[in-house]
Amino acid sequence: MSLKNAEKSFVQELQVLYPQSEAQQIWWLAVENLTGFNLRENANQPFNPDPCMLKMLTGIKKRLLKAEPIQYILNEAWFYDIPFYVDKNVLIPRPETEELVDAVIRDCRKQPAVRILDIGTGSGCIPIILKRKLPEATVTACDISLNALAVARKNAAKYDLDIQFIQLDFLEASNWKQLPQVDVLVSNPPYIPVAGKASMHKNVVDYEPALALFVPDEDPLLFYRKIADAAKSILAPNGRICLEVHENLAEETQQLLEAKGFAASVKTDMQGKQRFVLAGFVNH
């Protein structure tokens, strides 16, 4: 089978799960990962796949048709400007989280030796980019999952970054004493009510870790309330809180933080969705 025929079959079959444009993107990712050859940038150059590669592409297609995300199949997801190792123990990084990281970088540029804590770090994508872009910063990250922290440490080691990773259940207030005082609290915590599962794509619900996605229907702001409470003891007086939030709960999150004694504001993402809440102590 020629590469062109393989591509046509691959993209057509994937359209039961993905729009044509996304199926095409997945094809390009798979070929580039297997061969190192960028089809998009070298469309006019001849490329003849060997039978082994075509067999591997068929295997990838079979897994994709079971709704397994391409990032888990390839163990790679790009975030910001670098690739990260990912597997079923961590969420696949999202573009909106890049905007959260951007906001922190802009906020911290005038304070090189800033101290940052990422709560619920998963793959480590947030602290790793922050440490790369703010090399003088002291960066700490925590997560309840030992398996997620193993992924985060693997990614930090790949880029030779000095980041402290701490395993703890952040929802348990007695654990906060293990955390350092910091100038910035950043978090993309679980924020999807369990009831939201019904409307989500199989590739998220069936494969990404529920622990990192969902919160109880009756307490969707659980993590934001705990972050606000923890901030009172671990956030420096002029410190800032930078949060990614549920697009339908941004104003409620802002109100929660204000009720806890913070000045808070809602920011939109590039799609115009209310996706971020930034906060600091009122008296500063």
Side-chain angles (χ1 to χ4, degrees), residues 46-110:
F47 180 71
N48 298 312
D50 59 42
C52 180
M53 181 199 140
L54 290 173
K55 185 176 180 181
M56 291 172 74
L57 284 167
T58 299
I60 288 173
K61 181 174 65 178
K62 287 179 180 177
R63 293 173 66 179
L64 287 164
L65 288 170
K66 295 177 182 178
E68 186 174 356
I70 185 65
Q71 293 89 343
Y72 290 158
I73 296 171
L74 303 179
N75 290 126
E76 182 178 276
W78 279 77
F79 181 78
Y80 214 84
D81 57 355
I82 55 173
F84 282 79
Y85 174 88
V86 294
D87 61 26
K88 64 182 180 179
N89 295 297
V90 299
L91 288 184
I92 297 164
R94 302 310 203 261
E96 53 267 28
T97 307
E98 295 181 355
E99 296 184 55
L100 176 68
V101 170
D102 255 340
V104 176
I105 292 169
R106 289 195 305 270
D107 195 42
C108 294
R109 279 261 159 82
K110 295 178 182 177

Side-chain angles (χ1 to χ4, degrees), residues 22-33:
E22 192 169 351
Q24 185 70 59
Q25 291 281 345
I26 290 170
W27 164 259
W28 285 328
L29 278 174
V31 172
E32 185 173 350
N33 185 274

